[in-house]
Structures are given as C-alpha cells and as structure tokens.
Amino acid sequence: MSRLATSYLSGRSNYRLIEFCVEAACVVLGVWLAIWALIPVYNMALIAFSEHGAVFSGQTWPSQPSLHAFAVVWGQDFWYLERFWHQFGNSFFIGITTMILTLLIGTMTSFTIGRLKLRHGWMLSNAALMTYVIPASFLAIPFYRIMNIYGLSNNPWSVIAAMVTFASPYSIFIFQHYGKSIPMELDESARIDGATPLQIYVLIYLPLMAPALVAVGTYSLLLAWNEYLYQFLLLSSRDNMTVSVALAQFLNSDEAPWNYMMATAIIYALPPIAIYYASRRYMASGLTMGGVKG
Amino acid sequence: MSTVSRRNILAATAGLAAVEVLGRPYIANAQAKTATIWVGQGFVPQEDAALKETVANYEKASGNKIEYSIMPFMALYQKSISALTSGDVPDLIFSDAPTVILPVNAFNDRLADMTDVVETQKGKFTETALLSASFYNGKLKKRSYYMAPVKQASAPFHVWGDLVTKAGMSLADVPNRWDERWEWFKKVQEPLRAQGGRKVYALGLQITTVGPNDGNNLFYHFLIAYGGGNIVSKDGKLNTADPKVKEAAIRAVEQMTRAYKEGFVPPEALSWNDADDNNAYHEKLFVMSFDGTLSPELAVITKRPDDYQNNMRILGMPTGLDGKPVPAQVGAGGGFCPKAGKNTAVAKDFMKFFITPEVMNANLKGGLGRWCPSIPAVVKNDPWWTDPKLDPHRSIYVQTTVLGPTIPNYIGFNPAIGQVNAEQLWGKCHANVLKNNMTPQQAVETAFKRAETIFNKFTFEG
Amino acid sequence: MSITQQVLPIEQAARIVPRTRRAWGGGAQRGDFYWAIAFALPYVGVLLAFVVYPICYGFWLGSSPALYEELFDDPTYLTTVVNTLIYVVIGVNLKMIIAFLLSGFFYRKSWWTKYLLVIFILPWAMPALPAFLSIHWLLMGEWGFLNALLHQLFGFEGPHYLTERWSGVLSNISAYNWKNTPFWTLIFLAGRMAIPTDLYEAAAVDGAQRFQMLRHITMPLMAQLYLVSTLLATVFALGDFNSVFFVTGGGPAMSTEVMATLGIRYAFVLGDPPLGVAAVLTTLPLLLPLVLLLMRLLRKQEMQL
C-alpha cells in the first residue's frame, strides 16, 4: 500500500511538473506572439504619437509624445481628413452591409448544397471557385465597366456588390465544411416534426454555425473595411469615399504628415476589432447551443 | 492658414476676377452643357482650392457646368487607364507628372486632337512645353498636339544651408560645374559626423528602382550634364549607338555608384520609395539632394517657417562637361481629352480658358508656385515669380524651369521611353554595379540592349 | 445531454423507418426542391451579374499570344516567377502550419488566451497600406525602428533588410504572414470547435496522451479544412500586391517582384492592362491544378468520424 501510495504521489507530482512546464512554455509563446504581432503596430503608434510624424527618427520612444495627430483626425483638421467622420460612416455602411449580405448568401448557398442536397449543387460550388482564378486587382477594369453599364457608378452599392462577389465563394466553402460536422439526423428529426426548410435554416443551421459565422463575418467585414482599389475606382465623389481611400491620399505627395496617417489608421482599425471582440463569445458556444428543440 | 498663404489666395482671387472679362472671347456656345473632368490632387491644399476657383470662374464666364473629381495621382492613373480601356471616359483628364498614359493612348488614337486649343496661345508657349504636348499618332501616322500644357516643373538642388555652415563651409563657395559641385558637397560629411550625433550623409542620391520617377530623373540629368542628352531624339529614335551617349551613360553610372561606394549616400537609398527621400531630407539625414519641384520646401512652409525661410536652400543648374549650363529637363502638365468623351467641346473650351495667361498665372500662384507656367511672358510680367525678396526659393526655381535653357522629357518623343522608365533600367544599372559586380560599362550595355528591344516595339513613320 | 448522445437514438430510429431516410438521403423531395432553388437563387444572381462578365473579359484581355512573347522577353519575368514560387510554396505552407499549431494553442482555456487572441488579431484588422508602410519604415536600415531597438537593447548594428534580395523576400513573406496568419488561425480555431469534445473525453478515458489525440482525432478531422484553406491561401497569396509593393517596392533592382506586382506595373504604370492580365494568367498552370483539386475535395460528402 505504501509503495502504491509513493508511486501514485510521485506520478502525480510528475504530472504537475509537466503541466507546469507546458504552461510556462505557453506563456513564453504567448509573449513572443504578442511581441511579433505588436512590433509594426507599435511603430505605427510611435509615428502617430510623435510631434512631426518623423519616420526615420531612430527612436524607440517618441521624444515629444503628443496627442496632436489624434486631435487632428478627430477634429477633421487636415485637408485629407476633411470628411473623415462622413467617410467613416460610409465605411460602416459598406462594411456592415457586405458582412450581412455575405453571411446571408453564403449560408443560404451552403445550406442548399449541403443540407437540401440541391441536385448538381456541386456545379454551383465550382462556379463560385472561378471567381478566384484571376486575382481581384486585375478584375478591377471589367468591374468598372459593368458598374457603369448597370448605372451604379459612384454608388456605394457597386462597392458592396464587388465585395460580396469576392467574399462569397470563400464563405460558401467554409460554411460547407463546417456544416458537415452537424449531423444530418438533426435535420431529419426536425422534418419528421414538420419543420419547413426555412425553419431548419433559421432555428438549427444558423445557431450551430455560430463559430463559422463569426470567422467569416469578421473576414467579410474586414475585406470591405480595408479595401481601397475598388472603392476609389467605383466611386468618384469625395463624399462617397471611405476612410481607406482617404488613407491612400497620404501617398499622393512625396511628403505627408505620417503621424496623421498612422493616427487615422489606428482609429480606423478599432471598430472591426471591437466587433470581433463582442462576437467572440459566439465562437465558443459552438455545438453546445441547442438546436434540437426545433 | 498662415499669412503667407492667405495673401497668395487673395492675390489669386484678384487675378481671377480680372480674368473673367478677358476669358469671355472663348465661350463655345450659348447652350449650357456639362463636362466631367478628373484632376490629380495637389500636393498642398492650395492647389486644389485654386482649381476650384478656376472652375468656378469658367462656369460663370461661359454658362457651362464642370463636374470635377479630385483624386490622388496614383488613383488618377489607375482610373484613367480603366476608363480608357473600358471606354467609359470622362471628358478631360489633367495629367501631372510624366506618365505613359498620354503617349501610349495618343499612339493608339484614343485621344482627341488638341491642336485647336494650343493654337489659341501658340506663340507664347516655350518650345519645351510645345514639344512636351506633342505626341505621335500611330494610326494617323503623324505628330500632333494631344495635350494643352498649363504648367511645367523641373528638379532643382535642395540643400540644408545650416548644415553646410555647421560643417564650416559656405554656400557662397559652391562650384558652378556639375562634377565639382557633387564633389564639393561630399566634403560636408566628415566635419558633420565629427560633431557627433546621428549618422548624417552628404548626398541623397535616389539610386532606387522603386517609386516612379526619382531614379530616372536623376540619371537623365547626369546624362545630360555629360553630353548624352540626345539619348532619344525628337523624331523618336533611340540613339544608344551614339558613342557620345554611351560614354555619358557610363560616366553617369560610374559617378553615382562611386559616391555610394565611398559612403556618401545612405545605404538604403537602393530601396527608397517615393516618399523616403523626402522624409530623410526633412529629418536632415543628408545635406543635399536633387529632386523635382519645390515640394520639400513647400511641405514645411507653415509648420517650420524658419527652416523654409533660412535653412533650406535651392540651387539652380550648374554648367556641364561642355562648359554650357546644363538644361533642366522639364515635365509638363496639362489637360487631355479622351476621344470617346461625350462633351469634348466643353472640355476643350475649358482648356482654352485655362491656358490664357491670366488664368494660368492665377491658378499656379494659388498653388503656391510649385508648378511654373508654360508661358514665359507670365513670369516676366508678374514679379511674384521673379522677385527674390518675396520668396527665397521661387526666383531660382523659375529661372531653372522657365527662363533658363530647358529640354522636354523624352516621353513626348516616343512612348517606348515610358516603358524604359517603368522598367527602371537605369536604377538596375546602379544595382548591377553595386550588387552584381558588373562594371559600369557592362551595366550600361545591358540596359541599352533592353532599351533597344523596347524601342523596336514602336515603329514611327514621319 | 451532448449532441452525440442525442444523435444515436435518432440514427437507430431512422434505421427503423427506411422510407423517410431514403427520401431524405436521395435528394430533395418535390416541395423541398423549390426551397432548394429559392435558397440558391441569391448566389446564382451574384454569379451571373458580377462574375461571368469580368472573368470572361479578363480572359479575353489576356488572350493574345503576342503578349506572352513580350512577357518572356522581360528580364524581370524569370526572377519574378522564382519569387512567386517561393512566396507560394514556402510562405503559404509555413503560414498554414503555424496557423494550425496556433489554433491548438488558442484552443486552451487559459484566462489570458482570449486577450492574447485579440492582440493577435490586431495585424489582420489594421488597414494594409499603413501597416505595410510601417513595416517598410521599421526595416529601413539604420534609422528604422527595428535596428534602433536592437541597438538600444543589445548594442549592435542590425543589417540592412531591404537592400538585399533574399532578406527582402523574407521581409515580404514575413510581412504578409504577419498580416494573414491571424485569419487562418481563426478559421482553424472554428474548425477545432466543430470537433465534439466527447471524442477527446472518450480518448482520455482510454488513456490517450495529448499527442496521440492530436494525431488520431484532430488531424484527420481537420484534414479537409486544412487542405481547402491551404489551396485558398495560395490563391490569395498569388494575388497579393500590397505587401511586396509597400515593404520592398519590388527592390532592390526589382529582384523581389512577384507576379501580382509585375502585373500591376504592366497594367497601371505602363498603361498596358492586357499585358498585366497576361502576367497573372501565366500563374494559371500553377493555379488550375490546385483549383481542380479543390473542386474534387469539395465534392466529397463524407466526413470520417
């Protein structure tokens, strides 16, 4: 008994030691990850907080830290930023609409292919894939043309349409894959209970797809949020532009107040992060959210 | 806004008001029509404001309406190319820095002939401006004017006068010959470094292959100074077989790479993008550079007025190997009309208005003089441009850009040089010498061979 | 009750009622058919309105054989091909492996992991232009932030990252991976969360070690997602222009150009869009097999449990 007890105890402390080492290694990895992710961001902040936006200062800390750049952005006090808040609103409109439409179209299409087993549904997936054969930057010219043909030039909906076009195929694939982990028997039992496909879609499929919805939603939001080629190509008037186009203005001259640009970029990056953070709870819910009641 | 810029705007507005009356003779017709124009964004807000004023004045004088979109120049190129390729074009596009869009589209007969616009002021333009505005049409097999020139710019020498003084030297001693001038500035580096602080360099040579124009611009001026300016002649021929041109090119590459090897140029200059040389100059990381327009100075005119007035200095062109002043290579900007535009008549009318001396003057003054007028009479008649007491830099810049000897950049002669520029062949020469152990001769021969292949794509007759 | 425990009796029930199962498994019933079409319509609309014409137009632009002759004449073209291959073969695979491992790391339920994830997502959320410009500046030789930091902390002068070809290529790949790894990590994390925890619990009861669980549960179940994601990441990497353009600018001497930047240069600097499209179309021999493989993978309906 004592021998068993000793081996049990030493086994346990070995286990604790391994656990501790693993935990410590994870902390080290975590620190490295944070440093890796933050260095360029730190450089951006360094420039944003410096007095004159010096980029070749050779400093690791701003010599005269100042919030001046942020105040300028906030107060629209610079000619590139004159319509900042309005353009910020445009970014929101285009970004959120793209996200909602991508999620909607993506889930509906993957639902019909994967759950309703649409005959020849695989043709739809393959056709979607053709969108990626030519990189998006080279499709800009034909997009410009068809938007003019459809009468959508200088209209935010042209940008939304372009963004949804590029985000959808990828979303469909992710949803299709993720959907395979949801047993078909759930659908079947719901059908037996008399549910329509629409009810299955809303009450079973969507809730169980939550983690994929968060990932794809963030992806489509960011795609539209940070896109600038299509935005300035398809939009002409300053009032329709978004902040990512406004940021591109700083590259216009060979000399610009980089602190304003970096301050703008930092402020502009906050909403998607906030949206991601607010929705990340749904990532963890996953399969434990019940759809079986349906 | 500082008092300086406000004064400029007031002067511009007064000028424009006077113009209203004079602009009247060029109204096209009584029917009010709308034209769409795309304009490149200025480097300072005053340029945009000046454009708005000009447009407003035209609308009042003519009764036509102008819908303009101002966008960054990169966006303007991409959008213009998309438009010209797809056929959904605006009526007028304002072209700024030398670009390939103009000659290539003129060659392919996609632009409207602007001769009737240029004719209205023909006698007054500099020869350089006219040459910059004429392009060869491959379909019609003849040259014609496809742009109405409004402005031109050149590259002066930019120097930090206070750093020169700090090194114990004086700007009054700057040599007036090309090679001697570069050698003289190299001498600033050691005394400055001896005084401690960060590593400072003497020369900001942009021997980079990144960024559209700086590297090419620099190379061509060295080439011109050494007598190789005829590398592309007016008839569109590439003269790389000319031994004089070849010798000049080899010498240019040799001089610049030697300065780099000797440690007088920041090592990262090889990878500078369009903004980096200006950033570095503003942070006083080197003492002297050769760069287009007055933008380095104008960028700090409000933020650092002391630097603008006292410490930053401009030098004009020295004499070249042949003892004569090096002509400045000038880039011209103006408006061109895509052929498929729907309201080209109105657009042309607007350009006729724009190139009248009074309107041109008012607009460019409003833009703080970063660009000079294409009509010498304008600067001769208005002391704002030439009085050294009004501004420390402008008079020298005007002398270099308009009044002194100038040659056009080669884009108007043959579109192929645009591709040579875009492929950064000259930047590659420097890199081949510095990184791939080629001799300047080998590097130049490689570049010339490639240039010849490119030029063979465009055949000219007449 | 966990999902699997609820599922099993249903399966048993389904076996007893073969008619329902057949009708369900063999394709949509008549009423369902209209629903299926209705659900498919939105994306079909998108395809017809916005995909067919641009893709066809793109192919038409790049269809003249003379373009390809011109392309192969350009001395930069060969270097660009090599760089693009490195970008795709090494850069993408490195990114996916790291993303896969990190997804396991973030799957752990430590209290600080969720905050770390937000920090980790930051690069992805930053707009590309300022972020890559910032990387360009921080790598800029003597005055850039990185070397300044190294000098302050350790007292030595760091190398010039952007003036040599191979360190330039490495910088570009690092910048691109810096920006995009968080996205793939998130996708893999979602994929891991799709695996029922019961499987791990059952394995633990059977005495399996962590590594064995990885090999026999996680990897097979994530295999298809991993392959699909790798292929899509390749497609995206081939089209990526911003990272190279802003970090090295294709320099020094255009030795770090990739097909996307070369194509953009032809299209929008030279004003020759057909040549630009031709440049990216030459990546098709690499891309098409991947796309076809992707199509086959997606057709497979089974997921081994």
Side-chain angles (χ1 to χ4, degrees), chain C residues 32-266:
Chain C
D32 278 359
F33 184 66
Y34 293 121
W35 277 109
I37 296 289
F39 270 82
L41 272 181
Y43 187 63
V44 172
V46 169
L47 271 180
L48 290 177
F50 299 115
V51 177
V52 172
Y53 177 77
I55 297 286
C56 293
Y57 187 93
F59 274 103
W60 172 76
L61 265 186
S63 57
S64 154
L67 291 171
Y68 296 93
E69 256 186 70
E70 209 184 313
L71 210 53
F72 297 136
D73 253 350
D74 185 351
T76 326
Y77 182 72
L78 197 57
T79 337
T80 308
V81 170
V82 171
N83 287 337
T84 312
L85 279 174
I86 295 176
Y87 221 75
V88 162
V89 171
I90 299 181
V92 170
N93 282 311
L94 198 64
K95 178 168 55 178
M96 301 316 271
I97 293 173
I98 293 179
F100 181 76
L101 295 174
L102 284 178
S103 67
F105 171 71
F106 283 110
Y107 189 68
R108 294 159 52 84
K109 302 274 190 300
S110 314
W111 60 271
W112 46 272
T113 318
K114 59 177 180 182
Y115 297 115
L116 185 65
L117 192 55
V118 177
I119 294 180
F120 190 58
I121 299 280
L122 215 53
W124 183 37
M126 285 281 161
L129 214 148
F132 288 134
L133 214 48
S134 162
I135 295 180
H136 170 78
W137 284 328
L138 75 90
L139 290 177
M140 208 48 163
E142 295 159 347
W143 308 302
F145 174 69
L146 191 60
N147 281 347
L149 189 66
L150 290 175
H151 184 78
Q152 246 184 30
L153 290 180
F154 307 117
F156 73 88
E157 288 287 342
H160 289 122
Y161 307 100
L162 301 177
T163 50
E164 298 289 337
R165 178 183 179 183
W166 297 113
S167 59
V169 171
L170 189 65
S171 306
N172 286 336
I173 293 179
S174 305
Y176 184 61
N177 286 354
W178 171 84
K179 190 144 210 316
N180 285 290
T181 312
F183 168 54
W184 297 111
T185 311
L186 207 60
I187 293 291
F188 288 147
L189 189 57
R192 277 188 195 249
M193 288 178 169
I195 302 173
T197 43
D198 308 46
L199 293 175
Y200 292 116
E201 284 164 20
V205 164
D206 284 347
Q209 296 300 330
R210 211 169 274 165
F211 185 66
Q212 286 170 313
M213 284 199 252
L214 181 72
R215 254 194 82 201
H216 295 288
I217 303 178
T218 318
M219 283 171 84
L221 290 178
M222 296 268 286
Q224 201 182 20
L225 180 64
Y226 184 85
L227 277 167
V228 171
S229 299
T230 307
L231 297 179
L232 281 170
T234 309
V235 172
F236 293 154
L238 277 173
D240 179 66
F241 156 81
N242 286 323
S243 57
V244 174
F245 185 74
F246 288 113
V247 177
T248 59
M254 308 197 134
S255 58
T256 58
E257 293 260 18
V258 294
M259 210 52 82
T261 52
L262 194 69
I264 292 283
R265 182 156 64 84
Y266 289 142

Side-chain angles (χ1 to χ4, degrees), chain B residues 59-104:
Chain B
E59 288 179 333
K60 247 194 309 195
S62 70
N64 290 321
K65 204 165 169 326
I66 301 276
E67 264 174 29
Y68 61 90
S69 288
I70 300 183
M71 55 190 99
F73 77 81
M74 263 205 309
L76 183 68
Y77 290 175
Q78 291 166 342
K79 206 156 177 171
S80 304
I81 290 173
S82 305
L84 286 161
T85 312
S86 72
D88 299 298
V89 293
D91 298 304
L92 180 73
I93 302 177
F94 261 89
S95 152
D96 230 32
T99 166
V100 191
I101 306 179
L102 259 175
V104 165

Side-chain angles (χ1 to χ4, degrees), chain A:
Chain A
M1 180 37 193
S2 62
R3 216 185 312 141
L4 271 172
T6 333
S7 70
Y8 172 70
L9 282 169
S10 66
R12 270 203 77 185
S13 58
N14 265 346
Y15 178 73
R16 303 258 291 285
L17 189 63
I18 294 175
E19 276 297 309
F20 178 74
C21 286
V22 169
E23 189 68 26
C26 283
V27 171
V28 171
L29 177 62
V31 169
W32 273 112
L33 272 180
I35 294 179
W36 164 259
L38 286 178
I39 285 189
V41 181
Y42 180 78
N43 195 34
M44 290 168 77
L46 189 63
I47 298 172
F49 280 102
S50 69
E51 190 68 34
H52 288 301
V55 299
F56 289 149
S57 56
Q59 294 164 336
T60 51
W61 188 260
S63 57
Q64 299 159 301
S66 112
L67 283 175
H68 171 67
F70 291 92
V72 164
V73 176
W74 198 267
Q76 301 187 149
D77 211 0
F78 183 62
W79 66 308
Y80 289 151
L81 298 166
E82 262 168 21
R83 305 286 291 148
F84 176 69
W85 290 113
H86 185 88
Q87 291 167 336
F88 202 68
N90 289 340
S91 292
F92 259 103
F93 175 65
I94 292 179
I96 302 280
T97 316
T98 304
M99 177 172 84
I100 294 175
L101 282 179
T102 308
L103 288 177
L104 211 57
I105 295 180
T107 47
M108 284 171 79
T109 315
S110 65
F111 184 68
T112 188
I113 299 177
R115 315 304 281 186
L116 295 182
K117 300 263 196 290
L118 177 70
R119 199 161 293 157
H120 305 307
W122 57 270
M123 276 175 29
L124 200 56
S125 305
N126 290 352
L129 208 47
M130 292 318 281
T131 317
Y132 291 145
V133 166
I134 299 183
S137 350
F138 296 90
L139 292 175
I141 296 180
F143 259 92
Y144 175 74
R145 176 148 181 71
I146 53 175
M147 292 307 174
N148 275 329
I149 295 177
Y150 294 152
L152 281 177
S153 66
N154 202 28
N155 189 326
W157 285 101
S158 62
V159 179
I160 294 173
M163 296 294 99
V164 170
T165 307
F166 289 114
S168 299
Y170 177 69
S171 318
I172 295 173
F173 304 143
I174 295 297
F175 290 142
Q176 260 191 286
H177 172 86
Y178 199 80
K180 287 189 203 137
S181 69
I182 304 173
M184 284 297 277
E185 284 76 5
L186 285 175
D187 296 54
E188 286 178 29
S189 65
R191 295 307 304 278
I192 294 170
D193 286 349
T196 65
L198 184 62
Q199 284 172 315
I200 299 178
Y201 171 71
V202 175
L203 298 171
I204 300 180
Y205 189 67
L206 283 184
L208 290 176
M209 295 284 277
L213 288 180
V214 171
V216 171
T218 317
Y219 161 71
S220 50
L221 174 68
L222 278 176
L223 189 71
W225 192 259
N226 287 332
E227 171 64 39
Y228 68 92
L229 175 67
Y230 278 81
Q231 288 177 355
F232 74 66
L233 213 56
L234 298 174
L235 304 170
S236 331
S237 69
R238 210 167 195 205
D239 273 354
N240 281 341
M241 303 269 185
T242 59
V243 177
S244 43
V245 177
L247 278 172
Q249 286 175 112
F250 282 87
L251 294 178
N252 185 46
S253 72
D254 43 7
E255 167 68 28
W258 305 114
N259 49 348
Y260 299 168
M261 182 201 208
M262 293 305 173
T264 312
I266 291 175
I267 295 180
Y268 191 58
L270 294 177
I273 297 183
I275 293 179
Y276 163 73
Y277 191 72
S279 60
R280 64 169 302 291
R281 311 192 290 110
Y282 297 103
M283 273 208 72
S285 62
L287 289 173
T288 57
M289 263 178 90
V292 207
K293 301 181 195 122

Side-chain angles (χ1 to χ4, degrees), chain B residues 301-317:
Chain B
I301 189 170
T302 40
K303 277 192 298 183
R304 290 147 72 169
D306 180 50
D307 277 341
Y308 181 85
Q309 291 290 335
N310 303 321
N311 298 330
M312 297 169 109
R313 288 253 167 268
I314 295 289
L315 298 175
M317 293 303 256

